[in-house]
Structure formats: structure tokens, C-alpha cells
PDB file of all heavy atoms in Angstrom:
ATOM      1  N   CYS W 219      12.755 -12.482 -17.834  1.00  0.00           N
ATOM      2  CA  CYS W 219      11.962 -13.267 -16.875  1.00  0.00           C
ATOM      3  C   CYS W 219      11.956 -12.669 -15.477  1.00  0.00           C
ATOM      4  O   CYS W 219      11.712 -13.377 -14.487  1.00  0.00           O
ATOM      5  CB  CYS W 219      12.435 -14.722 -16.814  1.00  0.00           C
ATOM      6  SG  CYS W 219      12.310 -15.610 -18.375  1.00  0.00           S
ATOM      7  N   GLN W 220      12.215 -11.390 -15.369  1.00  0.00           N
ATOM      8  CA  GLN W 220      12.162 -10.711 -14.078  1.00  0.00           C
ATOM      9  C   GLN W 220      10.792 -10.078 -13.894  1.00  0.00           C
ATOM     10  O   GLN W 220      10.303  -9.352 -14.758  1.00  0.00           O
ATOM     11  CB  GLN W 220      13.249  -9.630 -13.990  1.00  0.00           C
ATOM     12  CG  GLN W 220      14.661 -10.167 -14.051  1.00  0.00           C
ATOM     13  CD  GLN W 220      14.976 -11.103 -12.906  1.00  0.00           C
ATOM     14  OE1 GLN W 220      14.698 -10.800 -11.746  1.00  0.00           O
ATOM     15  NE2 GLN W 220      15.565 -12.250 -13.224  1.00  0.00           N
ATOM     16  N   ARG W 221      10.171 -10.369 -12.744  1.00  0.00           N
ATOM     17  CA  ARG W 221       8.874  -9.767 -12.460  1.00  0.00           C
ATOM     18  C   ARG W 221       9.057  -8.300 -12.086  1.00  0.00           C
ATOM     19  O   ARG W 221       9.784  -7.977 -11.149  1.00  0.00           O
ATOM     20  CB  ARG W 221       8.183 -10.514 -11.328  1.00  0.00           C
ATOM     21  CG  ARG W 221       7.574 -11.836 -11.756  1.00  0.00           C
ATOM     22  CD  ARG W 221       6.860 -12.506 -10.601  1.00  0.00           C
ATOM     23  NE  ARG W 221       7.820 -13.044  -9.647  1.00  0.00           N
ATOM     24  CZ  ARG W 221       7.572 -13.205  -8.346  1.00  0.00           C
ATOM     25  NH1 ARG W 221       6.421 -12.827  -7.848  1.00  0.00           N
ATOM     26  NH2 ARG W 221       8.478 -13.720  -7.547  1.00  0.00           N
ATOM     27  N   LEU W 222       8.393  -7.429 -12.826  1.00  0.00           N
ATOM     28  CA  LEU W 222       8.478  -5.997 -12.560  1.00  0.00           C
ATOM     29  C   LEU W 222       7.388  -5.536 -11.601  1.00  0.00           C
ATOM     30  O   LEU W 222       7.546  -4.514 -10.936  1.00  0.00           O
ATOM     31  CB  LEU W 222       8.375  -5.214 -13.875  1.00  0.00           C
ATOM     32  CG  LEU W 222       9.441  -5.586 -14.917  1.00  0.00           C
ATOM     33  CD1 LEU W 222       9.189  -4.820 -16.210  1.00  0.00           C
ATOM     34  CD2 LEU W 222      10.840  -5.310 -14.377  1.00  0.00           C
ATOM     35  N   THR W 223       6.284  -6.286 -11.543  1.00  0.00           N
ATOM     36  CA  THR W 223       5.224  -6.010 -10.567  1.00  0.00           C
ATOM     37  C   THR W 223       4.725  -7.336 -10.010  1.00  0.00           C
ATOM     38  O   THR W 223       4.910  -8.390 -10.611  1.00  0.00           O
ATOM     39  CB  THR W 223       4.024  -5.261 -11.195  1.00  0.00           C
ATOM     40  OG1 THR W 223       3.280  -6.168 -12.018  1.00  0.00           O
ATOM     41  CG2 THR W 223       4.464  -4.061 -12.008  1.00  0.00           C
ATOM     42  N   GLU W 224       4.070  -7.256  -8.875  1.00  0.00           N
ATOM     43  CA  GLU W 224       3.340  -8.411  -8.370  1.00  0.00           C
ATOM     44  C   GLU W 224       2.053  -8.557  -9.199  1.00  0.00           C
ATOM     45  O   GLU W 224       1.656  -7.617  -9.898  1.00  0.00           O
ATOM     46  CB  GLU W 224       3.015  -8.229  -6.884  1.00  0.00           C
ATOM     47  CG  GLU W 224       4.236  -8.186  -5.984  1.00  0.00           C
ATOM     48  CD  GLU W 224       5.063  -9.463  -6.090  1.00  0.00           C
ATOM     49  OE1 GLU W 224       4.475 -10.561  -6.025  1.00  0.00           O
ATOM     50  OE2 GLU W 224       6.292  -9.360  -6.262  1.00  0.00           O
ATOM     51  N   PRO W 225       1.373  -9.695  -9.135  1.00  0.00           N
ATOM     52  CA  PRO W 225       0.127  -9.856  -9.895  1.00  0.00           C
ATOM     53  C   PRO W 225      -1.023  -9.093  -9.224  1.00  0.00           C
ATOM     54  O   PRO W 225      -1.848  -9.673  -8.510  1.00  0.00           O
ATOM     55  CB  PRO W 225      -0.101 -11.376  -9.873  1.00  0.00           C
ATOM     56  CG  PRO W 225       0.580 -11.834  -8.634  1.00  0.00           C
ATOM     57  CD  PRO W 225       1.766 -10.952  -8.456  1.00  0.00           C
ATOM     58  N   LEU W 226      -1.078  -7.801  -9.482  1.00  0.00           N
ATOM     59  CA  LEU W 226      -2.020  -6.908  -8.814  1.00  0.00           C
ATOM     60  C   LEU W 226      -3.182  -6.475  -9.691  1.00  0.00           C
ATOM     61  O   LEU W 226      -4.123  -5.849  -9.199  1.00  0.00           O
ATOM     62  CB  LEU W 226      -1.278  -5.638  -8.346  1.00  0.00           C
ATOM     63  CG  LEU W 226      -0.075  -5.843  -7.418  1.00  0.00           C
ATOM     64  CD1 LEU W 226       0.637  -4.510  -7.189  1.00  0.00           C
ATOM     65  CD2 LEU W 226      -0.530  -6.453  -6.102  1.00  0.00           C
ATOM     66  N   TYR W 227      -3.153  -6.828 -10.969  1.00  0.00           N
ATOM     67  CA  TYR W 227      -4.067  -6.227 -11.927  1.00  0.00           C
ATOM     68  C   TYR W 227      -4.951  -7.272 -12.599  1.00  0.00           C
ATOM     69  O   TYR W 227      -4.605  -8.462 -12.679  1.00  0.00           O
ATOM     70  CB  TYR W 227      -3.266  -5.442 -12.971  1.00  0.00           C
ATOM     71  CG  TYR W 227      -2.310  -4.465 -12.345  1.00  0.00           C
ATOM     72  CD1 TYR W 227      -0.935  -4.746 -12.278  1.00  0.00           C
ATOM     73  CD2 TYR W 227      -2.766  -3.281 -11.772  1.00  0.00           C
ATOM     74  CE1 TYR W 227      -0.054  -3.864 -11.672  1.00  0.00           C
ATOM     75  CE2 TYR W 227      -1.892  -2.395 -11.161  1.00  0.00           C
ATOM     76  CZ  TYR W 227      -0.533  -2.687 -11.115  1.00  0.00           C
ATOM     77  OH  TYR W 227       0.343  -1.821 -10.507  1.00  0.00           O
ATOM     78  N   ALA W 228      -6.092  -6.797 -13.083  1.00  0.00           N
ATOM     79  CA  ALA W 228      -6.986  -7.671 -13.840  1.00  0.00           C
ATOM     80  C   ALA W 228      -6.497  -7.836 -15.274  1.00  0.00           C
ATOM     81  O   ALA W 228      -6.709  -8.880 -15.891  1.00  0.00           O
ATOM     82  CB  ALA W 228      -8.408  -7.104 -13.832  1.00  0.00           C
ATOM     83  N   ASN W 229      -5.807  -6.816 -15.798  1.00  0.00           N
ATOM     84  CA  ASN W 229      -5.327  -6.877 -17.170  1.00  0.00           C
ATOM     85  C   ASN W 229      -4.265  -5.807 -17.378  1.00  0.00           C
ATOM     86  O   ASN W 229      -4.251  -4.780 -16.687  1.00  0.00           O
ATOM     87  CB  ASN W 229      -6.487  -6.652 -18.146  1.00  0.00           C
ATOM     88  CG  ASN W 229      -6.076  -6.908 -19.578  1.00  0.00           C
ATOM     89  OD1 ASN W 229      -5.398  -7.876 -19.875  1.00  0.00           O
ATOM     90  ND2 ASN W 229      -6.468  -6.022 -20.484  1.00  0.00           N
ATOM     91  N   ILE W 230      -3.362  -6.044 -18.306  1.00  0.00           N
ATOM     92  CA  ILE W 230      -2.341  -5.061 -18.677  1.00  0.00           C
ATOM     93  C   ILE W 230      -2.273  -5.002 -20.199  1.00  0.00           C
ATOM     94  O   ILE W 230      -2.206  -6.040 -20.868  1.00  0.00           O
ATOM     95  CB  ILE W 230      -0.952  -5.416 -18.103  1.00  0.00           C
ATOM     96  CG1 ILE W 230      -0.982  -5.409 -16.573  1.00  0.00           C
ATOM     97  CG2 ILE W 230       0.103  -4.440 -18.610  1.00  0.00           C
ATOM     98  CD1 ILE W 230       0.344  -5.810 -15.929  1.00  0.00           C
ATOM     99  N   GLU W 231      -2.264  -3.775 -20.752  1.00  0.00           N
ATOM    100  CA  GLU W 231      -2.148  -3.571 -22.194  1.00  0.00           C
ATOM    101  C   GLU W 231      -1.068  -2.532 -22.462  1.00  0.00           C
ATOM    102  O   GLU W 231      -0.869  -1.605 -21.679  1.00  0.00           O
ATOM    103  CB  GLU W 231      -3.480  -3.079 -22.780  1.00  0.00           C
ATOM    104  CG  GLU W 231      -4.629  -4.060 -22.621  1.00  0.00           C
ATOM    105  CD  GLU W 231      -5.933  -3.456 -23.109  1.00  0.00           C
ATOM    106  OE1 GLU W 231      -6.091  -2.217 -23.022  1.00  0.00           O
ATOM    107  OE2 GLU W 231      -6.800  -4.212 -23.573  1.00  0.00           O
ATOM    108  N   ALA W 232      -0.399  -2.687 -23.581  1.00  0.00           N
ATOM    109  CA  ALA W 232       0.646  -1.729 -23.955  1.00  0.00           C
ATOM    110  C   ALA W 232       0.029  -0.542 -24.690  1.00  0.00           C
ATOM    111  O   ALA W 232      -0.797  -0.717 -25.597  1.00  0.00           O
ATOM    112  CB  ALA W 232       1.686  -2.407 -24.827  1.00  0.00           C
ATOM    113  N   ILE W 233       0.431   0.652 -24.285  1.00  0.00           N
ATOM    114  CA  ILE W 233       0.059   1.870 -25.029  1.00  0.00           C
ATOM    115  C   ILE W 233       1.165   2.184 -26.034  1.00  0.00           C
ATOM    116  O   ILE W 233       0.921   2.443 -27.205  1.00  0.00           O
ATOM    117  CB  ILE W 233      -0.149   3.046 -24.058  1.00  0.00           C
ATOM    118  CG1 ILE W 233      -1.267   2.726 -23.063  1.00  0.00           C
ATOM    119  CG2 ILE W 233      -0.439   4.339 -24.828  1.00  0.00           C
ATOM    120  CD1 ILE W 233      -1.435   3.755 -21.968  1.00  0.00           C
ATOM    121  N   ASN W 234       2.392   2.141 -25.561  1.00  0.00           N
ATOM    122  CA  ASN W 234       3.584   2.193 -26.408  1.00  0.00           C
ATOM    123  C   ASN W 234       4.675   1.445 -25.661  1.00  0.00           C
ATOM    124  O   ASN W 234       4.393   0.751 -24.675  1.00  0.00           O
ATOM    125  CB  ASN W 234       3.965   3.646 -26.754  1.00  0.00           C
ATOM    126  CG  ASN W 234       4.179   4.502 -25.512  1.00  0.00           C
ATOM    127  OD1 ASN W 234       4.790   4.055 -24.537  1.00  0.00           O
ATOM    128  ND2 ASN W 234       3.667   5.729 -25.534  1.00  0.00           N
ATOM    129  N   SER W 235       5.884   1.559 -26.076  1.00  0.00           N
ATOM    130  CA  SER W 235       6.946   0.776 -25.448  1.00  0.00           C
ATOM    131  C   SER W 235       7.306   1.261 -24.051  1.00  0.00           C
ATOM    132  O   SER W 235       8.024   0.572 -23.328  1.00  0.00           O
ATOM    133  CB  SER W 235       8.200   0.784 -26.335  1.00  0.00           C
ATOM    134  OG  SER W 235       8.653   2.122 -26.528  1.00  0.00           O
ATOM    135  N   ASN W 236       6.822   2.434 -23.665  1.00  0.00           N
ATOM    136  CA  ASN W 236       7.163   2.993 -22.350  1.00  0.00           C
ATOM    137  C   ASN W 236       5.954   3.177 -21.442  1.00  0.00           C
ATOM    138  O   ASN W 236       6.114   3.543 -20.282  1.00  0.00           O
ATOM    139  CB  ASN W 236       7.861   4.344 -22.514  1.00  0.00           C
ATOM    140  CG  ASN W 236       9.202   4.212 -23.200  1.00  0.00           C
ATOM    141  OD1 ASN W 236      10.045   3.421 -22.778  1.00  0.00           O
ATOM    142  ND2 ASN W 236       9.403   4.958 -24.282  1.00  0.00           N
ATOM    143  N   MET W 237       4.750   2.936 -21.949  1.00  0.00           N
ATOM    144  CA  MET W 237       3.540   3.147 -21.155  1.00  0.00           C
ATOM    145  C   MET W 237       2.624   1.934 -21.278  1.00  0.00           C
ATOM    146  O   MET W 237       2.415   1.404 -22.366  1.00  0.00           O
ATOM    147  CB  MET W 237       2.791   4.400 -21.631  1.00  0.00           C
ATOM    148  CG  MET W 237       3.525   5.699 -21.397  1.00  0.00           C
ATOM    149  SD  MET W 237       2.581   7.112 -22.061  1.00  0.00           S
ATOM    150  CE  MET W 237       1.089   6.999 -21.073  1.00  0.00           C
ATOM    151  N   PHE W 238       2.067   1.532 -20.104  1.00  0.00           N
ATOM    152  CA  PHE W 238       1.201   0.363 -20.075  1.00  0.00           C
ATOM    153  C   PHE W 238      -0.049   0.683 -19.265  1.00  0.00           C
ATOM    154  O   PHE W 238       0.033   1.253 -18.173  1.00  0.00           O
ATOM    155  CB  PHE W 238       1.935  -0.832 -19.469  1.00  0.00           C
ATOM    156  CG  PHE W 238       3.152  -1.235 -20.265  1.00  0.00           C
ATOM    157  CD1 PHE W 238       4.374  -0.604 -20.063  1.00  0.00           C
ATOM    158  CD2 PHE W 238       3.054  -2.211 -21.243  1.00  0.00           C
ATOM    159  CE1 PHE W 238       5.483  -0.958 -20.810  1.00  0.00           C
ATOM    160  CE2 PHE W 238       4.160  -2.571 -21.995  1.00  0.00           C
ATOM    161  CZ  PHE W 238       5.380  -1.939 -21.781  1.00  0.00           C
ATOM    162  N   ARG W 239      -1.182   0.323 -19.816  1.00  0.00           N
ATOM    163  CA  ARG W 239      -2.468   0.530 -19.151  1.00  0.00           C
ATOM    164  C   ARG W 239      -2.788  -0.699 -18.313  1.00  0.00           C
ATOM    165  O   ARG W 239      -2.934  -1.808 -18.834  1.00  0.00           O
ATOM    166  CB  ARG W 239      -3.573   0.763 -20.179  1.00  0.00           C
ATOM    167  CG  ARG W 239      -4.958   0.998 -19.570  1.00  0.00           C
ATOM    168  CD  ARG W 239      -6.048   0.995 -20.630  1.00  0.00           C
ATOM    169  NE  ARG W 239      -5.879   2.107 -21.550  1.00  0.00           N
ATOM    170  CZ  ARG W 239      -5.486   1.981 -22.809  1.00  0.00           C
ATOM    171  NH1 ARG W 239      -5.204   0.764 -23.305  1.00  0.00           N
ATOM    172  NH2 ARG W 239      -5.360   3.027 -23.590  1.00  0.00           N
ATOM    173  N   ALA W 240      -2.904  -0.525 -16.989  1.00  0.00           N
ATOM    174  CA  ALA W 240      -3.186  -1.629 -16.070  1.00  0.00           C
ATOM    175  C   ALA W 240      -4.568  -1.424 -15.452  1.00  0.00           C
ATOM    176  O   ALA W 240      -4.837  -0.391 -14.842  1.00  0.00           O
ATOM    177  CB  ALA W 240      -2.120  -1.713 -14.986  1.00  0.00           C
ATOM    178  N   THR W 241      -5.418  -2.413 -15.623  1.00  0.00           N
ATOM    179  CA  THR W 241      -6.768  -2.358 -15.071  1.00  0.00           C
ATOM    180  C   THR W 241      -6.781  -3.014 -13.693  1.00  0.00           C
ATOM    181  O   THR W 241      -6.282  -4.135 -13.522  1.00  0.00           O
ATOM    182  CB  THR W 241      -7.764  -3.085 -15.986  1.00  0.00           C
ATOM    183  OG1 THR W 241      -7.690  -2.526 -17.300  1.00  0.00           O
ATOM    184  CG2 THR W 241      -9.188  -2.942 -15.472  1.00  0.00           C
ATOM    185  N   LEU W 242      -7.355  -2.304 -12.720  1.00  0.00           N
ATOM    186  CA  LEU W 242      -7.413  -2.837 -11.361  1.00  0.00           C
ATOM    187  C   LEU W 242      -8.478  -3.938 -11.272  1.00  0.00           C
ATOM    188  O   LEU W 242      -9.325  -4.083 -12.159  1.00  0.00           O
ATOM    189  CB  LEU W 242      -7.720  -1.711 -10.384  1.00  0.00           C
ATOM    190  CG  LEU W 242      -6.674  -0.590 -10.306  1.00  0.00           C
ATOM    191  CD1 LEU W 242      -7.056   0.418  -9.233  1.00  0.00           C
ATOM    192  CD2 LEU W 242      -5.291  -1.146 -10.035  1.00  0.00           C
ATOM    193  N   PRO W 243      -8.464  -4.729 -10.165  1.00  0.00           N
ATOM    194  CA  PRO W 243      -9.401  -5.856 -10.044  1.00  0.00           C
ATOM    195  C   PRO W 243     -10.875  -5.475 -10.057  1.00  0.00           C
ATOM    196  O   PRO W 243     -11.719  -6.367 -10.196  1.00  0.00           O
ATOM    197  CB  PRO W 243      -9.006  -6.485  -8.699  1.00  0.00           C
ATOM    198  CG  PRO W 243      -7.552  -6.186  -8.565  1.00  0.00           C
ATOM    199  CD  PRO W 243      -7.411  -4.794  -9.129  1.00  0.00           C
ATOM    200  N   ASP W 244     -11.210  -4.190  -9.899  1.00  0.00           N
ATOM    201  CA  ASP W 244     -12.617  -3.804 -10.012  1.00  0.00           C
ATOM    202  C   ASP W 244     -13.065  -3.709 -11.462  1.00  0.00           C
ATOM    203  O   ASP W 244     -14.236  -3.451 -11.752  1.00  0.00           O
ATOM    204  CB  ASP W 244     -12.887  -2.481  -9.294  1.00  0.00           C
ATOM    205  CG  ASP W 244     -12.086  -1.307  -9.880  1.00  0.00           C
ATOM    206  OD1 ASP W 244     -11.463  -1.467 -10.944  1.00  0.00           O
ATOM    207  OD2 ASP W 244     -12.082  -0.238  -9.251  1.00  0.00           O
ATOM    208  N   TYR W 245     -12.135  -3.920 -12.390  1.00  0.00           N
ATOM    209  CA  TYR W 245     -12.373  -3.920 -13.840  1.00  0.00           C
ATOM    210  C   TYR W 245     -12.868  -2.562 -14.357  1.00  0.00           C
ATOM    211  O   TYR W 245     -13.386  -2.460 -15.456  1.00  0.00           O
ATOM    212  CB  TYR W 245     -13.370  -5.016 -14.236  1.00  0.00           C
ATOM    213  CG  TYR W 245     -12.803  -6.397 -14.089  1.00  0.00           C
ATOM    214  CD1 TYR W 245     -13.029  -7.123 -12.933  1.00  0.00           C
ATOM    215  CD2 TYR W 245     -12.024  -6.950 -15.085  1.00  0.00           C
ATOM    216  CE1 TYR W 245     -12.496  -8.396 -12.779  1.00  0.00           C
ATOM    217  CE2 TYR W 245     -11.477  -8.223 -14.944  1.00  0.00           C
ATOM    218  CZ  TYR W 245     -11.715  -8.939 -13.786  1.00  0.00           C
ATOM    219  OH  TYR W 245     -11.178 -10.192 -13.631  1.00  0.00           O
ATOM    220  N   THR W 246     -12.701  -1.517 -13.567  1.00  0.00           N
ATOM    221  CA  THR W 246     -13.116  -0.169 -13.961  1.00  0.00           C
ATOM    222  C   THR W 246     -11.960   0.813 -13.852  1.00  0.00           C
ATOM    223  O   THR W 246     -11.673   1.569 -14.789  1.00  0.00           O
ATOM    224  CB  THR W 246     -14.287   0.325 -13.080  1.00  0.00           C
ATOM    225  OG1 THR W 246     -15.385  -0.584 -13.233  1.00  0.00           O
ATOM    226  CG2 THR W 246     -14.728   1.719 -13.501  1.00  0.00           C
ATOM    227  N   SER W 247     -11.275   0.776 -12.721  1.00  0.00           N
ATOM    228  CA  SER W 247     -10.189   1.715 -12.463  1.00  0.00           C
ATOM    229  C   SER W 247      -8.947   1.338 -13.257  1.00  0.00           C
ATOM    230  O   SER W 247      -8.631   0.151 -13.427  1.00  0.00           O
ATOM    231  CB  SER W 247      -9.856   1.756 -10.974  1.00  0.00           C
ATOM    232  OG  SER W 247     -11.013   2.044 -10.206  1.00  0.00           O
ATOM    233  N   ILE W 248      -8.243   2.363 -13.735  1.00  0.00           N
ATOM    234  CA  ILE W 248      -7.053   2.157 -14.566  1.00  0.00           C
ATOM    235  C   ILE W 248      -5.896   2.979 -14.023  1.00  0.00           C
ATOM    236  O   ILE W 248      -6.071   4.124 -13.608  1.00  0.00           O
ATOM    237  CB  ILE W 248      -7.339   2.546 -16.031  1.00  0.00           C
ATOM    238  CG1 ILE W 248      -8.335   1.569 -16.655  1.00  0.00           C
ATOM    239  CG2 ILE W 248      -6.056   2.572 -16.867  1.00  0.00           C
ATOM    240  CD1 ILE W 248      -8.779   1.965 -18.037  1.00  0.00           C
ATOM    241  N   VAL W 249      -4.704   2.375 -14.016  1.00  0.00           N
ATOM    242  CA  VAL W 249      -3.477   3.102 -13.679  1.00  0.00           C
ATOM    243  C   VAL W 249      -2.502   2.919 -14.845  1.00  0.00           C
ATOM    244  O   VAL W 249      -2.666   2.031 -15.679  1.00  0.00           O
ATOM    245  CB  VAL W 249      -2.845   2.601 -12.369  1.00  0.00           C
ATOM    246  CG1 VAL W 249      -3.767   2.871 -11.195  1.00  0.00           C
ATOM    247  CG2 VAL W 249      -2.501   1.118 -12.457  1.00  0.00           C
ATOM    248  N   ILE W 250      -1.493   3.790 -14.892  1.00  0.00           N
ATOM    249  CA  ILE W 250      -0.484   3.728 -15.945  1.00  0.00           C
ATOM    250  C   ILE W 250       0.849   3.326 -15.333  1.00  0.00           C
ATOM    251  O   ILE W 250       1.289   3.873 -14.314  1.00  0.00           O
ATOM    252  CB  ILE W 250      -0.341   5.089 -16.663  1.00  0.00           C
ATOM    253  CG1 ILE W 250      -1.676   5.516 -17.265  1.00  0.00           C
ATOM    254  CG2 ILE W 250       0.722   5.003 -17.757  1.00  0.00           C
ATOM    255  CD1 ILE W 250      -2.230   4.559 -18.310  1.00  0.00           C
ATOM    256  N   LEU W 251       1.495   2.345 -15.962  1.00  0.00           N
ATOM    257  CA  LEU W 251       2.809   1.880 -15.543  1.00  0.00           C
ATOM    258  C   LEU W 251       3.841   2.262 -16.587  1.00  0.00           C
ATOM    259  O   LEU W 251       3.539   2.315 -17.787  1.00  0.00           O
ATOM    260  CB  LEU W 251       2.813   0.360 -15.372  1.00  0.00           C
ATOM    261  CG  LEU W 251       1.732  -0.275 -14.497  1.00  0.00           C
ATOM    262  CD1 LEU W 251       1.844  -1.798 -14.571  1.00  0.00           C
ATOM    263  CD2 LEU W 251       1.843   0.196 -13.059  1.00  0.00           C
ATOM    264  N   ASN W 252       5.082   2.512 -16.135  1.00  0.00           N
ATOM    265  CA  ASN W 252       6.158   2.666 -17.105  1.00  0.00           C
ATOM    266  C   ASN W 252       6.750   1.298 -17.404  1.00  0.00           C
ATOM    267  O   ASN W 252       6.293   0.277 -16.880  1.00  0.00           O
ATOM    268  CB  ASN W 252       7.214   3.667 -16.616  1.00  0.00           C
ATOM    269  CG  ASN W 252       7.906   3.209 -15.338  1.00  0.00           C
ATOM    270  OD1 ASN W 252       7.927   2.024 -15.008  1.00  0.00           O
ATOM    271  ND2 ASN W 252       8.479   4.156 -14.609  1.00  0.00           N
ATOM    272  N   ASN W 253       7.776   1.229 -18.249  1.00  0.00           N
ATOM    273  CA  ASN W 253       8.315  -0.069 -18.654  1.00  0.00           C
ATOM    274  C   ASN W 253       9.146  -0.745 -17.569  1.00  0.00           C
ATOM    275  O   ASN W 253       9.669  -1.848 -17.786  1.00  0.00           O
ATOM    276  CB  ASN W 253       9.110   0.059 -19.945  1.00  0.00           C
ATOM    277  CG  ASN W 253      10.325   0.962 -19.804  1.00  0.00           C
ATOM    278  OD1 ASN W 253      10.612   1.463 -18.712  1.00  0.00           O
ATOM    279  ND2 ASN W 253      11.038   1.171 -20.902  1.00  0.00           N
TER     280      ASN W 253
END
């Protein structure tokens, strides 16, 4: 229950257990987060 990020993204999806695809609020740009 620890927040790892602030609510900055439109959506977050898992690529694998160590990589996550985060969509920015423009719904076009994407960044990658680690776990």
C-alpha cells in the first residue's frame, strides 16, 4: 500500500514484472517505469 508515484498518468500497464508502460495525460505520450 505504498505509493510509488503520484497520480501523474492517464493509464499504467504492465509489460513484465520490472517494466510498466505509463501513458501521459495527453493519451499519446508514453514513458516506462521500473517496479
Side-chain angles (χ1 to χ4, degrees):
C219 299
Q220 296 298 312
R221 283 182 287 153
L222 303 176
T223 73
E224 295 301 312
L226 303 173
Y227 308 103
N229 188 44
I230 297 178
E231 298 175 330
I233 300 173
N234 56 42
S235 60
N236 295 307
M237 294 178 61
F238 298 85
R239 180 189 295 109
T241 304
L242 298 184
D244 61 10
Y245 290 95
T246 301
S247 305
I248 292 174
V249 296
I250 302 299
L251 308 175
N252 63 22
N253 63 3

